[in-house]
Amino acid sequence: MKSDTKSLLDKLNLAPLNSGVCTGPDGWLPGSAEPIISANPATGEAIAAVSPATPAQTDQVVQAAQAAFHTWRQMPAPRRGLVVRDLGNALRELAEPLGELVTLEMGKIRAEGIGEVQEMIDICDFATGLSRQLYGLTMPSERPGHRMVEQWHPLGPIGVITAFNFPVAVWSWNAAIAAVCGDTVIWKPSELTPLTAVAVQHIANRVMADYGLTGIFNLAVGDGSVGRALAEDARLPLISFTGSVRTGRLVGETVARRLGRTILELGGNNAIIVAADANLELATRAILFGAVGTAGQRCTSTRRLIVHQDVADHLADRLVNAYRQVPIGDPLAEGTLMGPLVTVQAVVAMQRALAQAVAEGGEVLTGGRPRPDLGPHFVEPAIVRMPAQTPIVREETFAPILYLLSYADFDDAVRLHNGVPQGLSSAIFTDSLQTAEAFLSVAGSDCGIANVNIGTSGAEIGGAFGGEKTTGGGREAGSDSWKAYMRRQTNTINWGSDLPLAQGITFGRRDEGGWHGTSG
């Protein structure tokens, strides 16, 4: 282990061998399964070994979360908010080393790693305020002497299954909101990024200990069998899953069979439309970050570029020039803009997609080559000009490939834009108010996120995050996403002395002779 890596792990209180199963302070369970090796994708260096959960330990974690829920839900929501506030403050204190660990284990550049931790801090701040705003409605009753209100109650222990590309932020979107709602949380992280999850659990443990709590934030590292166990467990009323469409379908079907709830975030095939009147300088910068940031491994990465034919050649030249200047290399090094793909398999998948694109009539304008001189996980970001939206363009390849298509009129652009199975994020660049509003209208973008003059990536936590079609459904983070983590209850209170029925029904009358039917 390099000395700088050891120093980083020491700052986060991480030993070389870590348990990946925890139910709170002093709740680390000794690992008995084959350890998962956490590796640095930029170098191939083993960082640490993390012991995954056995089936018995997974059940133990669920039991702990279920037991903690019965007391946690009784704590007033503003007090639960204080716990989440302190979690955010603890993350602030360790933002730099935790962000660098994200970079070390996942491969995104340092600025993005620290930015991901900032997202965690931001959602904790948001959730702290939310803890005093879990509002229900008051509704007029049609019956005299009655009033109607709705209130929201905690749902229960929930399972959160996250992907490698945002190894900590997505957990926080769910965990911070769920916690202030009164739920407890069981986290099953990606097998590719277990160490960042262990680090966050250590931080959460210290906060729980300060309040004498346990079982609020829980961890169960493991392979698909752990995720499957959570999805099948009727004690967990909600499963939030981020990952592939294929696995998401299995999770959705499994949870639906037991009539549970799901939040599914299953990726996107995100497009930017560039109109003839667009600010091309602005568009170029947004496209570059959207397509190249995180090495194309964001679910919101820009994968398709739909450009008006009058400016397509000019924008292509701009982008080719920008792509050839992207510094690729060590994601911890200052000045690097693109790090490695997470696995060798991802490199192979990218090469396969590029070959298929060429076979379908595409022309590689720049990039796409592996960079073995930098390491087995490095590639050049690619731009491919396509004659049409062919089958490979309609697929999501989790790599830095940008397909460039051209269009003649706006309706054609929208048809291309919406003509894919996915529906997560979208954007348009235009200086026309009319065109922008048409893109945002009911006949425009069919995605859960639609932007004007900004790219597809970099969503703020204040808005609800999620998509449509095979992206899955459900929302995380801001707006009223909190409602997914609670159960709604409608209450009717009779404060009068009569018992009128709704819809004007008269069921009967009672006198000394007993009950008599009536009409009217």
Side-chain angles (χ1 to χ4, degrees):
M1 182 181 294
K2 294 181 179 179
S3 59
D4 57 343
T5 300
K6 184 178 185 305
S7 173
L8 177 61
L9 300 187
D10 287 344
K11 290 178 185 177
L12 294 165
N13 193 30
L14 295 174
L17 183 65
N18 294 275
S19 169
V21 192
C22 186
T23 59
D26 303 319
W28 292 99
L29 306 182
S32 56
E34 185 70 23
I36 295 173
I37 303 302
S38 169
N40 179 350
T43 64
E45 174 196 24
I47 306 169
V50 179
S51 299
T54 63
Q57 288 174 331
T58 302
D59 181 70
Q60 191 173 342
V61 171
V62 175
Q63 289 182 40
Q66 187 180 38
F69 169 68
H70 293 297
T71 54
W72 180 241
R73 67 181 179 180
Q74 298 288 348
M75 182 182 288
R79 289 190 60 198
R80 297 194 295 257
L82 296 180
V83 177
V84 174
R85 176 201 66 185
D86 287 354
L87 174 61
N89 288 336
L91 291 167
R92 275 187 179 87
E93 294 174 5
L94 293 168
E96 187 171 314
L98 183 57
E100 289 178 350
L101 182 61
V102 169
T103 293
L104 191 71
E105 188 174 43
M106 182 268 152
K108 62 178 61 176
I109 64 173
R110 183 176 182 274
E112 289 188 84
I114 295 174
E116 183 171 347
V117 179
Q118 186 62 50
E119 249 187 285
M120 302 176 76
I121 296 165
D122 292 344
I123 199 69
C124 287
D125 288 347
F126 179 91
T128 300
L130 178 65
S131 69
R132 294 180 180 271
Q133 300 177 72
L134 302 174
Y135 300 135
L137 297 174
T138 300
M139 296 151 285
S141 173
E142 66 185 66
R143 290 169 281 184
H146 289 59
R147 67 183 178 91
M148 294 176 64
V149 298
E150 70 175 19
Q151 57 183 346
W152 295 84
H153 294 303
L155 191 60
I158 69 167
V160 179
I161 303 172
T162 59
F164 75 89
N165 58 330
F166 278 84
V168 293
V170 173
W171 170 81
S172 70
W173 295 353
N174 289 274
I177 302 297
V180 298
C181 289
D183 302 332
T184 54
V185 180
I186 301 165
W187 183 12
K188 190 276 182 198
S190 167
E191 296 166 77
L192 297 174
T193 53
L195 194 57
T196 48
V198 171
V200 171
Q201 184 68 39
H202 275 291
I203 295 168
N205 283 352
R206 293 197 288 273
V207 175
M208 284 190 283
D210 289 343
Y211 285 86
L213 298 168
T214 190
I216 311 304
F217 304 108
N218 307 272
L219 180 65
V221 170
D223 59 15
S225 65
V226 174
R228 185 164 53 251
L230 297 181
E232 292 173 347
D233 200 318
R235 292 170 294 182
L236 307 180
L238 171 67
I239 299 293
S240 176
F241 172 83
T242 301
S244 69
V245 173
R246 182 183 61 82
T247 305
R249 287 188 195 277
L250 295 175
V251 171
E253 292 167 2
T254 300
V255 177
R257 277 196 296 271
R258 60 176 177 83
L259 301 182
R261 303 185 193 179
T262 54
I263 299 172
L264 301 175
E265 201 287 277
L266 310 179
N269 192 351
N270 315 293
I272 294 177
I273 295 174
V274 181
D277 61 359
N279 180 329
L280 296 187
E281 171 62 26
L282 199 65
T284 299
R285 287 159 52 197
I287 295 162
L288 185 66
F289 174 70
V292 174
T294 323
Q297 297 172 116
R298 289 176 177 240
C299 50
T300 56
S301 289
T302 305
R303 308 202 181 281
R304 295 176 298 137
L305 193 58
I306 303 167
V307 190
H308 192 278
Q309 60 189 13
D310 290 350
V311 295
D313 291 343
H314 183 41
L315 182 58
D317 290 343
R318 278 176 169 267
L319 287 168
V320 167
N321 182 56
Y323 265 53
R324 288 174 178 171
Q325 298 178 56
V326 171
I328 306 168
D330 179 0
L332 281 169
E334 186 176 354
T336 299
L337 291 184
M338 194 180 104
L341 295 180
V342 71
T343 61
V344 171
Q345 289 77 14
V347 176
V348 172
M350 178 177 177
Q351 299 308 304
R352 187 183 303 122
L354 288 170
Q356 183 175 339
V358 171
E360 292 173 357
E363 176 190 359
V364 179
L365 300 183
T366 189
R369 293 180 293 272
R371 290 292 303 273
D373 55 313
L374 298 173
H377 295 186
F378 286 90
V379 295
E380 295 174 347
I383 301 174
V384 185
R385 192 154 193 175
M386 298 297 296
Q389 191 151 268
T390 62
I392 190 60
V393 179
R394 297 178 76 251
E395 291 183 17
E396 180 191 32
T397 302
F398 225 55
I401 302 175
L402 179 65
Y403 298 112
L404 193 156
L405 303 134
S406 60
Y407 73 93
D409 64 64
F410 181 72
D411 289 342
D412 289 338
V414 172
R415 278 192 290 271
L416 282 170
H417 178 279
N418 294 347
V420 295
Q422 309 86 358
L424 179 54
S425 187
S426 60
I428 190 168
F429 278 80
T430 178
D431 282 346
S432 165
L433 177 62
Q434 185 177 26
T435 303
E437 290 294 341
F439 179 71
L440 301 178
S441 75
V442 68
S445 169
D446 63 359
C447 294
I449 299 168
N451 300 326
V452 175
N453 291 334
I454 63 170
T456 60
S457 291
E460 298 181 34
I461 57 90
F465 183 90
E468 306 298 329
K469 301 191 291 188
T470 61
T471 294
R475 296 296 186 268
E476 297 168 310
S479 185
D480 65 348
S481 298
W482 60 271
K483 292 180 179 179
Y485 305 90
M486 304 194 82
R487 59 182 177 88
R488 186 196 312 251
Q489 185 181 81
T490 302
N491 309 133
T492 305
I493 301 98
N494 180 1
W495 52 271
S497 56
D498 295 325
L499 192 65
L501 299 179
Q503 293 85 48
I505 295 172
T506 302
F507 187 68
R509 60 182 176 82
R510 183 181 185 187
D511 57 25
E512 292 181 0
W515 287 96
H516 301 275
T518 63
S519 62

